Amino acid sequence: MQKVSVLFFLAWVCFLFYAGIALFTSGFLLTRLELTNHSSCQEPPGPGPLPWGGRGKPGACWMASRFSRVVLVLIDALRFDFAQPQSSYTSGKPSVSLPFLGKLGTLKRLLEIQPHHARLYRSQVDPPTTTMQRLKALTTGSLPTFIDAGSNFATHAIVEDNLIKQLTSAGKRVVFMGDDTWRDLFPGAFSQAFFFPSFNVKDLHTVDNGILEHLYPTMDSDEWDVLIAHFLGVDHCGHKHGPHHPEMAKKLSQMDQVIQSLVEHLENDTLLVVTGDHGMTMNGDHGGESDLEVSAALFLYSPTVLFPSTLPEEPEAIPQVSLVPTLALLLGVPIPFGNIGEVITELFSGNNNSQPHSSALAQASALHLNAQQVSRFLHTYSSTTQDLQFKELERLQSLFSKASADYLRLQQSSQGTEASTKAVIADLQQFLRGARAMCIKSWAQFSLVRMAGGATILTAACFLCLLASQWTTSPGFSFCPLLLISLIWGLVGSIVCVGLLAITGLKLDPVILGAVVAVGSLLPFLWKASTGWGARRPLAGLLPIPLPVLLLLLLRWAAFFSDSFVIAEARAIPFLLGSLVLILIAQPHWEGQLVPPKLLAIPRVGPLTPAGLPRHNGMHALGLGIGLLLCTRLAGLFHRCPEETPACQSSPWLNPLSSVVGGRAKNLWYGACVGALVALLAAVRLWLRRYGNLKSPAPPVLFVRWGLPLMALGTAAYWALASGADEAPPRLRALVAGASVVLPRAVAGLAASGLMLLLWRPVTVLVKAGTGAPRARTVFTPFSGPPTSQADLDYVVPQIYRHMQEVFRGQLERTHHQGLLTVAAYHLGSVYSAAMVTALTLLAFPLLLLHAERISLVFLLLFLQSFLLLQLLAAGIPVTTPGPFSVPWKAVSAWALMATQTFYSTGHQPVFPAIHWHAAFVGFPEGHGSSFWLPALLVGANTFASHLLFAVGCPLLLLWPFLCESQGPRKKRQTPGNETEAKVRPEEEEEEPLMEMRLRDAPHHFSAALLQLGLKYLFVLGVQILACALAASILRRHLMVWKVFAPKFIFEALGFIVSSVGLLLGIALVMRVDGAVSSWFKQLVLAQQR
C-alpha cells in the first residue's frame, strides 16, 4: 500500500464526517427568516384611526412625538446590580463591600430627588449575550438566533427594519460615537460618526476617552437629533480583571461622572437613556444565559415629567426589546416591522394633570399600535414560512381581534370606564407577551430531515472507520480501488445534484451538495460491507474493542445525554482515564485477551533475528500507573468551574500573573513558570540525547540545540513584560509595548522556521566514515546498480543498518570509550520518534504563549503524562515480527481521553463565556484592524491546543513500542581488559535491537498500521460527535438545550475538525520522514557499491 493513498483515504473519511457535521448543524442551529419589509408613516399598522390625530402633522407619524431628541448611552456589560442603588441592594442585610456597589450615585440621587422624572428597570436580555446580537435586538426589537453568536466578530449589515433606519428615514440626524461594531451593522446610516476599535479587551480607556473627547462638543452643538454613545470600558474591565477588581470601581465612577454631566446638558425636549447590552458573570465573561449575564440595567430620565406614579419599591423587570417600540413612538417614528417587543406603558400616561381614565386610554392607544404592528408581522411571517405554530397563532389572532374591537369601541364611545380600559390594556399585553413567547419557542424549530441526514452520515462514517480498521490487517486487501470507486461515485452524485438544481431553478446549497457527495461516495463501501460481511465474518467481529475498554467508552458516550454529566465532564474524564489506567496495569493478568496474538516471524535474508519486547514486571507497570494517576490529579488542580455550580471555586492559577497581588508572590510564581519551561526544554533535549539524535549535524538538530533555548528565553521575557506591564515606568512603557509585540511574533517565527527545517531535513542521523573497521559485512543484492524499486530497497535496508551498527561499534571500541556503546547505533532506530517529539515541542511553545503563564505547569504535566502513558502502553504491546503491526484500542481510547482531560486542565469549558479571548491579543496588543481570521485563529489555537497536540502526536502510539525495544536484551558491556576477547568473538555478541527500523522491514504493514491507527482515532472522536448530535436532537426541547447541549455539540464539532487536521499532519510528517530515510538509504547503497 502506498503511503500517499493512506493520507487520501483518511482525508476522504474526514470529509465524510465534515459533511455529516455540516448537514446536522444546518438543521439544528437554524437562523430565522429575516424579512425585508419596512414600516412607514404612509402605511399604518392596521385599520382604525391613529391616536391623537397623529397622521400628517409635523413631527408625528403613527403617534405624535413626545421628545424631539434622545441621548442613548450604551454602557457595555452594565449589569443591573452595578446600577442598583446600594441602599436597595443591601436592604435588610449587613453592609457588603464590593467594588461595583454604589458607584453610580447619580442614578440614586435622581431617583430620590426626582422620582417622576427617572426610572430604573431591570432589563431582561435574551441569550446569546454577545454584543452584536444585543445590538441587533436593541435596534430591531427582534430575537437573534443562537447561531448568530458565531458572527460576533464577523458583523454584517442589518437587513431587517430597525430603529436607526426609521430615524434616518424620518429626517432625524443620528450621531454615533464608540464601538466600531456599529459601522458594520449600519454602514452609512449616521450623519456623523466617531468609531473606535472594540476588539482589544485589554484596553480599558481608548474607546471611552475617544467618546468623551467628542461627546460634550456634540451635545452643545445643534447638529443632532439622536446621539448614541457606546462605552466599552466596563466590559473590557470585566474581561481583563473581573467585576470585583478595583479597576471596575474606577470605571463605574467614570461612567457616573459622564451621566451627571449629561444630565446637566439636557434640555426639556430631550430623553436620556442609559442601558447595558448585557451583564457579565462573576469572572467578567458573557455570552451565555446565566442570571448575571441576562440581567442588565435600563435607566430613563428627562427634565420634564415622565411618570405620573411614584417610584416602585423594587425596579420592574422588562424585556430588553421593549425599548425599541417605546423609543419609536416617543420620537414619532414607526415601530420597526419585525419588532416583537412591548411598549413601556407608563411612559405614555400623559403628565401629572391627566385623569386616570385619560392616562389609561393613552396607554391603550400605544399598546394598540404596538399590537397592530406585531399582528401584521406575524401575519406576514406566517405567510412566508411555516415556522410559527399554527394553533397558537390562531389563538393569538383571536385574542388580538377581540382586544382591538374593544379598543375601537372605547375610542368611539365617551362612556368608557377606567375598568374597561384596563381590561383592554390587559388583553393587549397578553397578546403581545404571548406573541413574543410563541416566537421564542417557534424560532427554535429544527429541520428534522437535515438533522437525521447528518446523523446518518456520521453513523455511516463511524461504521466505515470500524470496518476499515479491521480490513487493514486482511492480507492482500487494497484500499486504492475502493477509494477510487468511492470518489467516482461521489463525483457522479455531485454532477446529478447540480444538474437537478439547474433544471428546477433552485439555489445551490453547498451543505446539501457536500452531503450528496458524501452519500454517493459511501455507496460502494456500504455495498462491499453488505455483500462481504455476512459471508465471511461473524457478527461479533463488528465490535473488536475489548469489553472493559468498550464499557468505559459507552459510559462516556452515554454521559453526553445528561446535562449534569456534561456540566461535570471535567471531573468525569479523570475518573474514566484513571479506570483505563487501572485496566492497563492489570493487563498482564489477561494478556491473551487484550494483547494482539503473536504472529510467526517471516524469514528474512541475512542474520536478522527478531528480538521480542521484554515483558515488564508488575511493579514497573504499577509505578508507571501511579505516576500517571498522580499527574492527572495534579493537572486537575488547574480547573475552571462551570457557571452552573456556584459553590465551586475556579482555580486562581488560571489567572495571568498580572492579577497576582504582591511582588513576592508574583516573583515566586514567575520562577515556577520559568522552571517548568526549562524543565520541559531539558526533558526534550535529554530524550533526544538518550537516543543519540542530538549528535547529528542536521539543521533540525542544530535548531533544537540553539533555537529552542531562544524560544524559551523569548517566552520567559514576554511573561515578565506581560505580568508587569502596568507597573512599568512611563519612560519605558513604549519599549515594553514594542517588546510585547515583537517577542511573541519572534517565538512563533522561530517555531515556524524549526518546523520548516524539520520538513526539509527530517532525518537526524550522524553519518561517519566507515574506513578502518575491523570487520565488514557484505551486502548481498540480487540486482546491479542502485535499487530501482521499493522491493529492492526493502531487501537491502536491514542489512545496511546492521552494517552501520558494526562499523560504529568497531570505531568506538578502538577508542576505548567506556560510555554507552549503543548511542551511535541508535541514531536511526528512533528517527521517526525524534521528528515527532521535535515537531510537538515546536508546536507547544507558540501554543503555550497563548495561555496564561501558569498553564506552563500544565504543559509540563502534559508531556510527562504522555510519556508515562506511552511507556505503560508499550509495556503491553509485543514487537516480535515484521508485521502486521497494530495499535490496540485501549491505547487509542486513553490517548483521546487524555486530550479531553488536558482541554479542561488548561482552563477551558465547552461554553462560550469560558473562551479565552485574551489569546487574540498575544503579539497584537493593539488589535487586528479589520482582520477576522487572525484573531479567530489565535483564539481557536488557544481553545483547541490539546486537541491539536495529541492528534499530531497520535503516531507515537505506533512508534513507541518499537522505540522501547532498546530497553530489552543488549550486548554485554565490556569491562577493562576484555576488549581483546570481545574483538575475537564478535559474532557471539547479542544483536542490537532494530527499534523503529523494524517498520521498514515491512513497508506494506507500516502503511496499513498508520491507516488503522488513523481510522481508530477518527472512530473514537467520531462517535463522540455522533453522541453529541444525537443528544442535541433527542433533547432539542430540553430546558438546557441552548445552555449545555448546543455549545457542547459546537465545541465537539470544532474539536473534531482540529483533531482530524492534526492527525493528517502527524501521519504526513511520519511519511515525510520515511521518504527521507528511503532517499538516505539509496545514497548509502550507491556509495557502498562504489
Side-chain angles (χ1 to χ4, degrees):
M1 180 191 301
Q2 294 184 357
K3 292 182 172 58
V4 177
S5 64
V6 172
L7 274 181
F8 278 117
F9 195 91
L10 290 176
W12 170 56
V13 174
C14 291
F15 166 74
L16 298 179
F17 280 106
Y18 299 160
I21 291 172
L23 186 60
F24 182 88
T25 301
S26 66
F28 178 60
L29 301 179
L30 288 175
T31 56
R32 63 177 176 83
L33 178 65
E34 294 183 344
L35 301 179
T36 57
N37 306 61
H38 291 81
S39 301
S40 66
C41 291
Q42 291 72 30
E43 184 181 355
L50 292 173
W52 302 340
R55 195 192 312 187
K57 294 186 178 181
C61 188
W62 294 357
M63 177 179 284
S65 62
R66 186 172 179 184
F67 296 97
S68 59
R69 288 184 170 186
V70 166
V71 177
L72 173 59
V73 178
L74 181 58
I75 303 177
D76 209 293
L78 182 63
R79 208 166 69 188
F80 174 73
D81 53 350
F82 291 178
Q84 188 175 14
Q86 189 173 6
S87 59
S88 172
Y89 187 87
T90 60
S91 177
K93 299 180 181 180
S95 178
V96 180
S97 177
L98 294 174
F100 54 79
L101 288 182
K103 295 302 180 286
L104 297 181
T106 300
L107 304 187
K108 177 183 178 182
R109 179 174 56 82
L110 293 174
L111 290 170
E112 293 176 349
I113 298 176
Q114 297 178 286
H116 294 284
H117 296 250
R119 276 290 187 278
L120 177 65
Y121 297 96
R122 182 190 296 270
S123 179
Q124 292 297 122
V125 178
D126 298 299
T129 52
T130 48
T131 296
M132 191 196 73
Q133 285 66 44
R134 294 302 92 226
L135 296 183
K136 285 185 176 181
L138 283 169
T139 53
T140 64
S142 188
L143 299 174
T145 50
F146 183 86
I147 200 172
D148 283 338
S151 57
N152 193 39
F153 303 119
T155 56
H156 53 274
I158 295 178
V159 299
E160 289 183 285
D161 193 11
N162 57 81
L163 192 58
I164 303 299
K165 181 177 181 61
Q166 289 296 335
L167 291 170
T168 56
S169 299
K172 295 188 178 293
R173 298 161 298 178
V174 183
V175 177
F176 176 82
M177 51 190 71
D179 186 349
D180 59 354
T181 303
W182 291 73
R183 174 173 52 196
D184 300 318
L185 295 177
F186 308 100
F190 305 110
S191 60
Q192 193 176 9
F194 305 95
F195 297 112
F196 302 95
S198 60
F199 192 54
N200 189 356
V201 295
K202 293 187 177 181
D203 185 357
L204 309 185
H205 307 294
T206 298
V207 177
D208 293 0
N209 293 341
I211 294 174
L212 295 178
E213 182 181 350
H214 301 282
L215 180 60
Y216 302 117
T218 304
M219 285 279 294
D220 296 335
S221 69
D222 193 31
E223 299 177 355
W224 63 279
D225 297 304
V226 177
L227 176 58
I228 304 174
H230 188 167
F231 291 90
L232 289 177
V234 172
D235 178 69
H236 287 187
C237 183
H239 285 296
K240 184 177 181 180
H241 300 293
H244 297 86
H245 197 274
E247 283 294 329
M248 183 62 75
K250 297 179 182 179
K251 262 298 158 190
L252 291 175
S253 298
Q254 182 187 28
M255 293 299 100
D256 184 65
Q257 296 175 5
V258 171
I259 296 172
Q260 182 177 352
S261 299
L262 288 175
V263 169
E264 296 172 356
H265 283 76
L266 290 181
E267 298 180 359
N268 290 336
D269 63 344
T270 306
L271 174 67
L272 173 64
V273 180
V274 180
T275 186
D277 56 344
H278 51 73
M280 66 173 66
T281 64
M282 299 297 289
N283 296 322
D285 302 318
H286 58 88
E289 55 179 343
S290 65
D291 291 340
L292 293 177
E293 291 172 275
V294 301
S295 179
L298 172 61
F299 177 77
L300 303 176
Y301 173 79
S302 175
T304 59
V305 174
L306 280 176
F307 308 96
S309 59
T310 57
L311 196 69
E313 293 185 4
E314 289 294 332
E316 180 184 356
I318 63 171
Q320 187 183 56
V321 291
S322 297
L323 186 62
V324 174
T326 302
L327 288 180
L329 294 184
L330 289 176
L331 291 171
V333 298
I335 301 175
F337 189 90
N339 165 74
I340 59 172
E342 172 191 344
V343 294
I344 305 175
T345 54
E346 58 182 338
L347 284 169
F348 299 90
S349 302
N351 52 41
N352 283 333
N353 299 325
S354 301
Q355 297 297 322
H357 176 62
S358 300
S359 297
L361 189 59
Q363 294 179 7
S365 299
L367 281 170
H368 185 250
L369 276 176
N370 190 184
Q372 284 182 314
Q373 168 265 318
V374 172
S375 176
R376 181 184 63 177
F377 166 72
L378 294 179
H379 175 76
T380 305
Y381 191 90
S382 61
S383 62
T384 306
T385 181
Q386 303 300 318
D387 289 352
L388 301 180
Q389 302 174 15
F390 180 73
K391 291 184 178 180
E392 180 65 12
L393 183 62
E394 279 191 336
R395 187 189 72 82
L396 290 174
Q397 292 292 6
S398 175
L399 177 61
F400 169 72
S401 298
K402 174 182 176 300
S404 182
D406 293 342
Y407 169 77
L408 293 177
R409 281 195 295 270
L410 285 176
Q411 286 283 78
Q412 297 169 2
S413 174
S414 58
Q415 304 298 324
T417 63
E418 182 181 356
S420 59
T421 306
K422 289 185 177 182
V424 171
I425 291 175
D427 289 341
L428 291 171
Q429 289 178 331
Q430 183 181 356
F431 164 75
L432 290 169
R433 294 168 187 174
R436 180 172 176 271
M438 179 188 66
C439 289
I440 292 175
K441 186 176 181 180
S442 299
W443 286 338
Q445 289 289 336
F446 308 96
S447 176
L448 298 181
V449 175
R450 292 197 174 205
M451 293 172 65
T456 302
I457 294 176
L458 289 175
T459 304
C462 293
F463 185 59
L464 166 64
C465 292
L466 192 62
L467 279 185
S469 65
Q470 300 177 69
W471 291 347
T472 55
T473 57
S474 300
F477 182 80
S478 176
F479 282 85
C480 293
L482 177 61
L483 177 61
L484 182 60
I485 295 174
S486 298
L487 293 178
I488 292 175
W489 273 84
L491 180 62
V492 171
S494 64
I495 295 174
V496 172
C497 178
V498 172
L500 291 176
L501 291 176
I503 294 173
T504 57
L506 297 177
K507 183 180 178 181
L508 177 64
D509 188 346
V511 174
I512 297 297
L513 180 61
V516 171
V517 173
V519 172
S521 62
L522 274 169
L523 290 178
F525 160 75
L526 295 176
W527 174 259
K528 176 177 176 56
S530 63
T531 55
W533 183 264
R536 294 193 294 266
R537 296 176 181 268
L539 185 61
L542 277 172
L543 293 176
I545 308 175
L547 183 59
V549 179
L550 180 61
L551 290 177
L552 287 178
L553 293 179
L554 288 175
L555 182 62
R556 167 159 167 73
W557 299 334
F560 289 125
F561 292 83
S562 169
D563 60 319
S564 300
F565 276 99
V566 172
I567 294 171
E569 188 180 27
R571 289 179 291 169
I573 289 296
F575 168 77
L576 295 175
L577 183 59
S579 302
L580 191 54
V581 169
L582 293 178
I583 294 176
L584 295 175
I585 295 174
Q587 171 199 350
H589 296 286
W590 57 80
E591 182 177 355
Q593 300 177 19
L594 293 183
V595 178
K598 299 181 179 180
L599 303 178
L600 295 176
I602 301 177
R604 306 291 291 177
V605 177
L608 298 177
T609 305
L613 182 72
R615 307 310 303 159
H616 295 281
N617 56 38
M619 292 304 297
H620 177 81
L622 182 62
L624 292 174
I626 292 176
L628 184 56
L629 293 175
L630 180 61
C631 290
T632 304
R633 177 59 180 167
L634 291 176
L637 298 177
F638 295 81
H639 67 282
R640 181 181 185 127
C641 297
E643 60 187 25
E644 294 82 4
T645 55
C648 176
Q649 295 293 328
S650 297
S651 172
W653 302 342
L654 298 174
N655 299 324
L657 287 181
S658 58
S659 64
V660 177
V661 179
R664 183 175 182 181
K666 182 181 295 186
N667 292 336
L668 289 175
W669 273 113
Y670 178 76
C673 296
V674 174
L677 202 62
V678 173
L680 177 59
L681 179 61
V684 172
R685 287 172 61 91
L686 287 174
W687 185 89
L688 292 173
R689 181 178 290 115
R690 162 70 177 82
Y691 290 100
N693 298 101
L694 206 59
K695 295 182 178 296
S696 170
V701 177
L702 296 178
F703 187 88
V704 169
R705 291 178 181 175
W706 305 106
L708 284 182
L710 287 177
M711 294 171 63
L713 182 62
T715 302
Y718 174 74
W719 287 346
L721 296 177
S723 61
D726 296 336
E727 304 169 4
R731 66 178 182 276
L732 296 180
R733 287 182 179 175
L735 179 62
V736 170
S740 299
V741 174
V742 173
L743 288 174
R745 297 185 185 184
V747 172
L750 285 173
S753 302
L755 290 173
M756 295 303 296
L757 288 175
L758 187 63
L759 292 175
W760 175 46
R761 296 284 298 276
V763 180
T764 55
V765 176
L766 178 63
V767 181
K768 292 183 179 180
T771 59
R775 57 192 172 92
R777 178 189 298 272
T778 302
V779 179
F780 298 97
T781 61
F783 52 85
S784 60
T788 58
S789 66
Q790 183 66 39
D792 295 344
L793 191 63
D794 297 336
Y795 189 90
V796 300
V797 162
Q799 300 184 58
I800 295 175
Y801 180 59
R802 181 63 61 196
H803 172 69
M804 290 176 56
Q805 287 180 310
E806 294 172 355
V807 170
F808 291 148
R809 180 166 52 240
Q811 291 177 350
L812 292 173
E813 289 172 351
R814 288 196 308 274
T815 60
H816 301 280
H817 189 276
Q818 299 302 319
L820 290 176
L821 299 179
T822 59
V823 170
Y826 285 172
H827 290 187
L828 199 58
S830 59
V831 63
Y832 299 104
S833 298
M836 293 299 303
V837 171
T838 302
L840 289 173
T841 307
L842 293 174
L843 278 176
F845 272 91
L847 292 176
L848 178 58
L849 268 180
L850 299 176
H851 291 78
E853 298 88 345
R854 285 177 281 191
I855 297 298
S856 60
L857 301 172
V858 179
F859 272 67
L860 178 61
L861 289 173
L862 180 154
F863 274 77
L864 183 57
Q865 274 184 289
S866 303
F867 172 78
L868 293 174
L869 179 61
L870 289 170
Q871 290 290 117
L872 187 59
L873 292 171
I877 304 177
V879 181
T880 57
T881 67
F885 312 116
S886 180
V887 177
W889 283 100
K890 63 179 183 293
V892 180
S893 304
W895 199 252
L897 284 175
M898 191 172 290
T900 305
Q901 183 250 339
T902 307
F903 169 80
Y904 287 105
S905 297
T906 48
H908 295 98
Q909 286 282 337
V911 290
F912 294 109
I915 294 177
H916 299 175
W917 300 113
H918 64 82
F921 307 102
V922 176
F924 301 88
E926 301 300 325
H928 302 268
S930 58
S931 173
F932 162 70
W933 293 107
L934 184 56
L937 179 64
L938 293 175
V939 173
N942 170 279
T943 304
F944 301 104
S946 62
H947 297 73
L948 181 61
L949 289 174
F950 278 92
V952 172
C954 192
L956 288 175
L957 295 173
L958 173 64
L959 303 173
W960 207 266
F962 296 91
L963 192 69
C964 291
E965 187 184 357
S966 64
Q967 302 168 2
R970 294 190 179 194
K971 167 170 67 79
K972 291 179 61 177
R973 290 182 178 271
Q974 299 176 5
T975 58
N978 292 338
E979 293 89 344
T980 304
E981 181 182 357
K983 292 181 180 179
V984 172
R985 295 179 300 172
E987 298 298 333
E988 295 178 9
E989 298 175 354
E990 292 190 30
E991 295 285 356
E992 296 285 353
L994 289 174
M995 295 196 292
E996 292 176 354
M997 283 298 100
R998 290 187 182 279
L999 294 168
R1000 293 196 56 86
D1001 264 352
H1004 175 79
H1005 290 311
F1006 187 17
S1007 300
L1010 286 174
L1011 178 59
Q1012 186 188 58
L1013 173 62
L1015 291 172
K1016 287 182 176 181
Y1017 198 67
L1018 289 176
F1019 172 79
V1020 174
L1021 300 179
V1023 175
Q1024 289 180 192
I1025 186 63
L1026 175 61
C1028 286
L1030 293 177
S1033 58
I1034 294 173
L1035 303 172
R1036 61 187 180 275
R1037 295 301 179 188
H1038 193 278
L1039 179 65
M1040 305 292 285
V1041 62
W1042 300 119
K1043 189 176 183 63
V1044 175
F1045 296 110
K1048 179 62 177 175
F1049 167 76
I1050 293 175
F1051 275 79
E1052 283 291 338
L1054 294 176
F1056 177 87
I1057 294 173
V1058 172
S1059 298
S1060 59
V1061 172
L1063 177 66
L1064 294 176
L1065 293 177
I1067 293 179
L1069 177 60
V1070 173
M1071 294 180 178
R1072 173 69 186 99
V1073 176
D1074 190 67
V1077 171
S1078 298
S1079 301
W1080 188 70
F1081 272 124
K1082 287 180 181 179
Q1083 296 175 4
L1084 287 180
V1085 170
L1086 290 175
Q1088 191 267 346
Q1089 290 187 345
R1090 293 195 193 100

